[in-house]
Amino acid sequence: MQYNPTIGIETHVELKTNSKMFCRCKVVDTEEPNVSLCPTCLGLPGALPVPNKKAIEFITLLALSTNCKITKQGMFHRKNYFYPDLPKNYQISQFDLPVGINGSLKIVLNDQEAEVAIERVHMEEDTGKSTHMGTGRIDSATSTALDFNRSGVPLVEIVTKPVLKTSLEAVAYIEELRQLVLDLGISEGKLEKGNLRFDANISVANSESDVLGTKVEIKNMNSLRSLERAIDYEIERQIKALNNGEIIAQETRHWDEGKEVTKPMRSKEGSADYRYFSDPDIPNMVLDEEFVNIIKSKMPKLPYQKRLELMQTGLSIGEANILSKSNDWIVKLFHDVYSTTKNSSSTYNWITGELQGQMRKVEINELPSWFKADSLSEIINLIESNKISFSSGKVILAALLVKNVTPYDVAKEQNLFQENDSEKILQIVKNVITENSEVVVRIKNGEDKLIGFLVGLIIKSSGGSINPSIAKDLLSKELEE
Amino acid sequence: MSNQFDIDNVSKLASIELEETEKNKLSQDLSIILEHVQAISNLEFDISVDEVFIHPLEKQLNLQEDVVEEFLTHEEALSNAPESKDGKFIVPPSME
């Protein structure tokens, strides 16, 4: 039987504010536990939570950039559950009146633009971090150690509609969302630090059915690679189970990175009945037109807009997508170099390939202060006009990364300018033919691969300065005669 | 009105263990409360005329500027903890 998978993604994004969501404790990035705390984020009785203005501006920016409808009269709810990393026994979150609803995000999938429907974007607070002590196994821990530095850090949850079909689509969505929060400047967006965390809801259904299958939630995927593998594994597991006549249980499963399988998770104590009710400590949050317009005016260029601009230079959507997800200086360098070369393909290849490769080789993350876009344009133009060879271009680029010189100076100093004068090259070609008459005979008898040998000799006897393609053409003509 | 809710589920969600006698007593008390609340559903009002009221507070929310302030020292934060180790609060084992 044919089955269709359906995937929905819930993403938590930690916002880049100075202070926490409902108190003024500093958001810290430290291994030192419990150093940024107050009665509010410790959940002590009598504390009064007051939302962070910057966080509300950030989530509004995110909701607007994902085309969400902004809820004018929003409010905060209490999501009740008992777990020691949440000392007040409820998380302040949003329920039926989130900041944004019914949005969409443009992504690039298989070199085509696609759109992912967003159900909601809501504001909440992070919990503390728990470490299970004892034997090293969660289920036989002797105690739980708690660090509340993260408790109360502003989190935005973005929930897609169940519209994704493959793991690759899910990965493309997360890549786009990550770039979006980076471009908006609202989060560090580092997966390895947990700034961006995601869960996947997966179901499979008979392809002839209009009804979605039973939803299984997958947690604990810490990288894009684990997201892709966990989704693929889970889809296959569910299809196998259905083919065996089993019933899929609605449950939360945990991705086991080492074993590359999903396993049922113990459910949180009690049940997932969160008994939401409006938080009486926090009055209604009104996001009026004036506020929304101010936020709109702060909207930077979005990833899809950057892509469009790059495509207007002639890049493919795939190339534009890769470049738009690079550092800002790389995108700027591309536009600056392209403005002189007008050759998007060469500019793209030099920047994404050679330049970044050489920077890795000399272990630098930023261009040296003296390195100007014009220098790279000059290298590309010298190659395009056959004044230097492609490999000489690489030599010049390497020199530019370590010292303050111009491409012209390097080419001159290292004798890299090519001889393009056909008369002069022909003379060298004729000399080489005369000196290697036996090789010429063998070529005429069908040993074509020896042509390369002669080209090598020609270049060598010129001191490496002649244009190899002209030399090759002239050699072929001479051999035909 | 009779007992409209599952007292076992309520006690489970609240993480409160109840004796049988307590369950009976609480079931009765909570039923009376529910009955009072039920009266709200019986009210008649016209949302095209009456103002919709979605929050118990009429006050509009003031947001706080994103400015850091210091409150508790590490020692103060841990001073009430029944148990702590390596700067962390220690609680009975719990797992997801």
Side-chain angles (χ1 to χ4, degrees), chain A residues 18-19 24 33-34 37 50-53 75 82-84 131-132 141-142 144-146 266 279-280 282-284, chain B residues 13-14 54-55 57 59 61-62 64-69 71-72 74 86-91 93-96:
Chain A
N18 296 319
S19 60
R24 301 288 67 81
N34 296 310
L37 300 174
V50 183
N52 183 329
K53 188 176 173 193
M75 76 159 64
F82 294 100
Y83 203 69
T131 320
H132 304 286
T142 52
T144 296
L146 296 158
R266 282 208 191 190
D279 192 322
I282 309 175
N284 279 354
Chain B
L13 290 174
I54 59 167
H55 196 281
L57 292 181
K59 191 174 174 287
L61 177 62
N62 283 323
Q64 278 212 43
E65 294 296 333
D66 182 29
V67 178
V68 171
E69 286 172 33
F71 286 89
L72 300 175
H74 175 73
D86 300 330
K88 293 182 177 178
F89 294 84
I90 302 295
V91 297
S94 57
M95 66 223 72
E96 289 197 18

Side-chain angles (χ1 to χ4, degrees), chain A residues 309-320:
Chain A
E309 275 187 10
L310 289 164
M311 285 163 70
Q312 279 162 5
T313 68
L315 289 185
S316 72
I317 188 169
E319 290 167 334

Side-chain angles (χ1 to χ4, degrees), chain A residues 78-91:
Chain A
R78 292 185 179 182
K79 178 181 179 182
N80 300 276
Y81 64 91
F82 294 100
Y83 203 69
D85 61 12
L86 190 69
K88 60 186 182 299
N89 292 338
Y90 60 85
Q91 180 190 31

Side-chain angles (χ1 to χ4, degrees), chain A residues 315 319 334 344-356 390:
Chain A
L315 289 185
E319 290 167 334
F334 174 87
S344 59
S345 178
S346 287
T347 306
Y348 174 82
N349 289 330
W350 273 92
I351 290 176
T352 58
E354 202 53 41
L355 176 66
Q356 289 182 271
F390 187 81

